[in-house]
């Protein structure tokens, strides 16, 4: 992508460990529990755990060199800035105000309002309690570069998808997930099907943003679009489950199939119209 001279976001919270002088991240899990306990002892409510949307899991343990990591940190900040421009305009169109999320860059483990997480188990994710996107750059680059041909847009799509979850949170589209979890439990078809809808909508939103990015800045090449579309099927539940255990069980899907993820991202990329994607939340599940 053409990113030279592009604005960087002021919403990046860099909590990565620097060499041997590792900065302490968050309060650590112990800190979180102690705070919750104190709040509880004082008779208050324990902190809300919030909704967490986690994406591609990875066991990548390769170490990406620090120069590549620094370059990717800069790019992620530029991607985020571009999503801020896009969504601010989209919210304005309907008389709304876009409250920007933060992007937290971390190394290995992080404590959030949605719990304590290890990058290798969780991949990039969004936590609504913090209104933050969390990314371990080393894990992300190692994971995707091992999968096939990568380019800036492959990584930009990840930021676009996670920011898409933030938009869903602001628009109340995520609320129903909490309702389904509360009423039927997180293993229920009701909850899992809503999860698939929310994930496909985030793919669609990522596509809409990429459409804006290219229209505004002429920044994306056809080759990058091809590579990014080629990468989408590797994010499908059927692909991931077959790879892990040899078969796929559609009743346990949380993100949608390879074909669905490819198709909804592509639709967003072609239309650039977020409003048209809301049909994902209302159409019959078997037609998604
Ligand atoms: Zn997601």
């Amino acid at each position: 992508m053409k990113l030279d001279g592009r604005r960087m976001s002021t919403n990046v919270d860099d909590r990565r460990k620097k060499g041997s002088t590792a900065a302490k991240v968050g309060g650590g899990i112990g800190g979180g529990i102690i705070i919750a306990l104190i709040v509880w002892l004082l008779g208050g409510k324990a902190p809300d755990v919030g909704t967490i949307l986690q994406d591609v899991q990875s066991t990548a343990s390769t170490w990406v060199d620090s120069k590549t990591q620094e370059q990717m940190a800069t790019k992620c900040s530029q991607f985020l800035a571009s999503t801020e421009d896009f969504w601010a305009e989209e919210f304005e169109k309907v008389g709304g105000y876009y409250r920007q999320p933060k992007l937290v860059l971390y190394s290995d483990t992080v404590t959030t309002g949605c719990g304590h997480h290890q990058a290798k188990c969780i991949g990039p994710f969004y936590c609504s309690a913090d209104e933050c996107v969390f990314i371990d750059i080393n894990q992300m680059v190692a994971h995707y570069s091992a999968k096939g041909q990568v380019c800036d847009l492959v990584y930009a799509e990840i930021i676009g998808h996670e920011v898409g979850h933030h938009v869903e949170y602001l628009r109340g589209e995520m609320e129903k997930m909490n309702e389904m979890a509360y009423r039927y439990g997180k293993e229920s078809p009701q909850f899992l099907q809503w999860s698939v809808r929310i994930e496909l909508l985030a793919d669609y939103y990522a596509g809409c943003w990429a459409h804006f990015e290219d229209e505004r800045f002429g920044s994306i090449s056809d080759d990058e679009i091809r590579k990014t579309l080629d990468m989408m099927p590797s994010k499908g539940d059927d692909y991931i489950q077959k790879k892990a255990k040899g078969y796929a069980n559609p009743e346990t899907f949380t993100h949608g199939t390879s074909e669905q993820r490819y198709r909804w991202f592509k639709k967003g990329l072609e239309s650039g119209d977020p409003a048209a994607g809301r049909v994902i939340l209302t159409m019959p599940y078997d037609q998604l």
Side-chain angles (χ1 to χ4, degrees):
M1 286 169 72
K2 285 184 209 148
L3 296 164
D4 283 353
R6 295 278 297 279
R7 175 174 87 81
M8 287 171 70
S9 172
T10 53
N11 287 308
V12 178
D13 178 0
D14 195 345
R15 299 189 206 162
R16 290 175 298 160
K17 294 168 194 158
K18 305 282 184 196
S20 55
T21 52
K24 185 132 172 62
V25 178
I29 190 165
I33 289 170
I34 291 163
I35 291 166
L37 186 63
I38 292 169
V39 171
W40 179 73
L41 288 171
L42 293 173
K45 257 178 75 181
D48 185 355
V49 291
T51 303
I52 179 162
L53 276 302
Q54 71 177 80
D55 289 293
V56 184
Q57 293 205 348
S58 171
T59 49
S61 55
T62 349
W63 185 252
V64 177
D65 69 84
S66 57
K67 189 172 165 230
T68 306
Q69 290 204 42
E70 286 316 307
Q71 285 170 344
M72 187 52 70
T74 302
K75 286 175 184 177
C76 284
S77 178
Q78 291 172 320
F79 301 150
L80 184 67
S82 173
T83 65
E84 289 164 358
D85 295 344
F86 172 60
W87 287 111
E89 287 181 22
E90 288 299 320
F91 274 63
E92 258 170 43
K93 279 183 198 168
V94 290
Y97 166 74
Y98 179 57
R99 194 165 66 237
Q100 299 171 342
K102 287 249 183 302
L103 169 63
V104 178
L105 301 178
Y106 72 100
S107 315
D108 304 326
T109 59
V110 67
T111 299
T112 78
C114 299
H116 185 72
H117 303 287
Q118 271 191 297
K120 67 176 178 168
C121 301
I122 192 163
F125 67 98
Y126 171 74
C127 167
S128 67
D130 300 342
E131 297 194 16
C132 284
V133 170
F134 291 86
I135 288 188
D136 177 329
I137 287 179
N138 181 64
Q139 186 269 348
M140 179 177 77
V141 174
H143 177 80
Y144 282 94
S145 55
K147 273 173 129 42
Q149 289 190 306
V150 282
C151 60
D152 288 342
L153 187 60
V154 163
Y155 297 111
E157 187 276 335
I158 295 161
I159 302 281
H161 175 100
E162 300 305 333
V163 168
H165 284 317
H166 176 65
V167 171
E168 292 169 337
Y169 174 66
L170 294 181
R171 288 184 164 175
E173 291 157 350
M174 206 181 275
E175 234 166 74
K176 201 155 173 178
M177 269 185 84
N178 293 331
E179 189 193 319
M180 294 296 173
Y182 181 73
R183 283 172 64 183
Y184 305 106
K186 287 190 172 180
E187 311 273 302
S188 68
Q190 289 92 338
F191 174 81
L192 294 173
Q193 290 186 7
W194 198 260
S195 169
V196 169
R197 289 180 194 274
I198 283 291
E199 293 297 342
L200 295 177
L201 184 58
D203 287 339
Y204 180 84
Y205 283 163
C208 292
W209 164 61
H211 177 102
F212 160 89
E213 166 69 31
D214 193 39
E215 198 173 64
R216 180 69 48 96
F217 304 103
S219 54
I220 302 173
S221 69
D222 289 348
D223 185 52
E224 284 186 303
I225 288 176
R226 183 185 56 77
K227 283 180 182 155
T228 308
L229 284 169
D230 284 352
M231 191 63 81
M232 292 308 289
S234 73
K235 302 181 188 205
D237 288 319
D238 49 347
Y239 175 92
I240 293 168
Q241 288 189 5
K242 269 183 206 155
K243 216 176 160 203
K245 50 187 187 181
Y247 65 93
N249 178 6
E251 283 170 17
T252 60
F253 286 179
T254 54
H255 285 65
T257 65
S258 299
E259 189 278 324
Q260 286 173 319
R261 300 204 67 176
Y262 172 92
R263 180 160 43 83
W264 284 108
F265 172 70
K266 190 162 180 271
K267 272 179 191 263
L269 188 65
E270 285 163 1
S271 81
D273 176 14
R278 298 193 76 173
V279 68
I280 295 170
L281 302 178
T282 54
M283 70 196 292
Y285 185 73
D286 57 5
Q287 289 172 27
L288 267 176

